[in-house]
Amino acid sequence: MAELQVSVVSADQEIWTGTASMVVARTTEGDIGILPGHEPLLAILSAGEVRITESAGAAAIKANAEDGFLSVEHDTVTIVARNAELVRG
Amino acid sequence: MGAQLRVYRQKIKSAQTTKKITRAMELISASRIQKAQARVAASGPYSRAITRAVSAVATFSNVDHVLTTEPETVERAAIVIFSSDRGLAGAFNSNVLREAEELSTLLRSQGKDVVYYLVGRKAVGYFAFRRRDSVQNWVGGTDNPVFETAKEIGDTLVAKFLEPAAEGGVDEIHIVYNRFVSMLTQTPEVVRLLPLEVVEGIEEPGDNEVLPLYEFEPEAGDVLDALLPVYIESRIFNAMLQSAAAKHAATQKAMKSASDNADKLITDYTRLANNARQSEITQQISEIVGGADALSVK
């Protein structure tokens, strides 16, 4: 199965990058789930968590991305926010 | 000890002390360049992602956004000058200030009113000395810029830009900063920040791929609304980081040549001091010999 290349980027550094099987984010319109093969998308995130399901295992990574945006193209997901941080859980 | 000799010894001492200080400053800034450069590199992914997103929205939607639309008449232009808080950096600050002066002369010749926003104590001092007005200053923290300052500057500028010129708003915003080219070269750079020229391609992906047709959520206009201020912040933050790295590089270069000059001074004065000592001895000998001769002639 194809995988998503995910990177979480904040203003001063790249916070996390890796492959994932699914990304769930909360946009201003509502929650959105992204699986491999998603159409190109640019969405504004509302304050909230982004859940990244790593493909290697069942481990889920949570990232706090406030007032950022999310872009999807060719199975590459970029989550960009001024103050993003990882919440390991 | 002869007066001449004492003067030379004093000068050697003072050059040695100065050299110690400049050498220390050289080493400090050398270690800070690395860190500042790493920060410039680390902020790269963010500004690349934002630039890419902004060009995607601007390319694939026909949204007329206020931040990208050229105003019909430009009454007032703002210049943001990024200087440093401390001097001892060679021509670092005077370069950026001179560039700003040239820009403001150009803008004035086009019939625009120019207002200034200053970052860094040196620019503020330059303006205060000449009793010139600036709208707002940000001082402190130019050595190690934080994103909050960039956000504050960005918010201020965008708010001013959105105000109509009649109420004190500005129609154009330019930034002037030193770009870090290499350890040896820092060039002052002038960039027009607003209105945006998104299709500038400076940070486009290099592989020439076509941007895909994006789906926007919510509307393209809303996405642009949210993205553009962020884009401006990231440009300002980038300018601040570049300027900080350039400042450290400039300091290192200036302090290196100061240490070298101190070395040269020490050598020169040591020669002179040796000469003075030698001639003093020669004089003493000839005085003694002369005195002895005078005594022995009877």
Side-chain angles (χ1 to χ4, degrees):
Chain A
M1 193 175 111
E3 284 177 336
L4 292 167
Q5 287 292 330
V6 184
S7 52
V8 182
V9 179
S10 82
D12 38 17
Q13 59 182 318
E14 192 156 43
I15 285 177
W16 186 83
T17 166
T19 55
S21 56
M22 181 172 71
V23 174
V24 178
R26 176 161 301 164
T27 71
T28 45
E29 304 279 273
D31 274 15
I32 187 169
I34 291 147
L35 291 172
H38 199 281
E39 66 173 342
L41 170 80
L42 250 177
I44 302 296
L45 297 177
S46 73
E49 278 180 355
V50 178
R51 290 198 304 283
I52 302 161
T53 313
E54 263 183 299
S55 47
I61 292 168
K62 289 178 183 171
N64 240 331
E66 263 193 57
D67 306 328
F69 68 94
L70 169 114
S71 84
V72 185
E73 56 176 278
H74 308 311
D75 288 346
T76 308
V77 181
T78 318
I79 296 148
V80 183
R82 265 179 222 128
N83 306 304
E85 54 180 8
L86 276 195
V87 188
R88 281 269 168 193
Chain B
M1 202 198 298
Q4 198 58 51
L5 187 54
R6 201 164 55 233
V7 169
Y8 286 138
R9 292 245 162 99
Q10 250 169 21
K11 286 190 169 161
I12 293 172
K13 264 257 156 60
S14 121
Q16 276 169 339
T17 324
T18 313
K19 190 184 141 192
K20 269 181 201 153
I21 296 170
T22 54
R23 179 75 70 203
M25 289 182 76
E26 184 193 335
L27 293 176
I28 291 169
S29 45
S31 77
R32 284 190 182 160
I33 294 174
Q34 306 293 331
K35 227 180 266 172
Q37 259 185 302
R39 291 193 69 198
V40 173
S43 76
Y46 183 75
S47 57
R48 264 197 299 281
I50 287 179
T51 310
R52 203 179 155 76
V54 170
S55 22
V57 193
T59 321
F60 291 105
S61 62
N62 300 321
V63 194
D64 266 343
H65 195 275
V66 63
L67 295 182
T68 55
T69 324
E70 295 272 343
E72 279 163 25
T73 52
V74 178
E75 273 185 36
R76 194 172 294 122
I79 302 180
V80 190
I81 305 174
F82 292 86
S83 71
S84 68
D85 281 335
R86 286 155 195 273
L88 294 180
F92 179 84
N93 285 308
S94 52
N95 272 348
V96 79
L97 287 168
R98 196 182 53 227
E99 199 74 19
E101 292 293 356
E102 277 170 22
L103 175 66
S104 72
T105 316
L106 176 76
L107 292 175
R108 283 214 183 86
S109 73
Q110 294 167 355
K112 298 168 189 170
D113 202 9
V114 179
V115 291
Y116 296 95
Y117 292 82
L118 309 175
V119 183
R121 255 178 220 119
K122 283 288 154 184
V124 176
Y126 179 88
F127 273 68
F129 183 70
R130 285 164 185 74
R131 295 179 192 285
R132 281 161 54 180
D133 287 332
S134 59
V135 184
Q136 202 166 343
N137 306 325
W138 289 271
V139 294
T142 55
D143 272 2
N144 206 5
V146 288
F147 193 73
E148 278 68 48
T149 322
K151 183 170 160 23
E152 203 185 308
I153 298 173
D155 287 349
T156 314
L157 292 180
V158 170
K160 270 286 168 202
F161 186 76
L162 295 178
E163 250 176 63
E167 290 165 29
V170 295
D171 305 311
E172 251 183 24
I173 295 171
H174 301 259
I175 57 175
V176 187
Y177 66 101
N178 273 294
R179 195 162 61 86
F180 181 89
V181 182
S182 72
M183 294 295 226
L184 293 175
T185 330
Q186 299 86 40
T187 43
E189 198 110 320
V190 180
V191 176
R192 194 182 77 169
L193 201 62
L194 284 173
L196 278 176
E197 299 157 69
V198 181
V199 207
E200 48 193 9
I202 43 158
E203 283 179 80
E204 283 288 298
D207 39 10
N208 268 339
E209 58 176 308
V210 185
L211 288 166
L213 271 169
Y214 281 97
E215 184 71 21
F216 298 107
E217 181 150 338
E219 293 298 308
D222 298 332
V223 175
L224 207 55
D225 268 347
L227 278 185
L228 279 176
V230 177
Y231 175 74
I232 286 161
E233 277 161 27
S234 101
R235 289 303 295 270
I236 290 173
F237 189 49
N238 185 262
M240 290 170 76
L241 290 176
Q242 290 273 356
S243 172
K247 155 75 170 58
H248 291 312
T251 303
Q252 197 216 0
K253 205 172 109 193
M255 289 301 111
K256 174 148 181 25
S257 58
S259 304
D260 291 351
N261 286 342
D263 262 339
K264 201 168 154 286
L265 269 186
I266 292 170
T267 324
D268 288 353
Y269 279 125
T270 311
R271 298 264 183 285
L272 288 171
N274 288 346
N275 259 340
R277 193 191 61 219
Q278 212 51 50
S279 65
E280 200 177 301
I281 292 169
T282 314
Q283 197 193 343
Q284 276 170 359
I285 291 174
S286 69
E287 275 168 11
I288 292 168
V289 171
D293 278 353
L295 286 178
S296 64
V297 178
K298 283 204 171 157

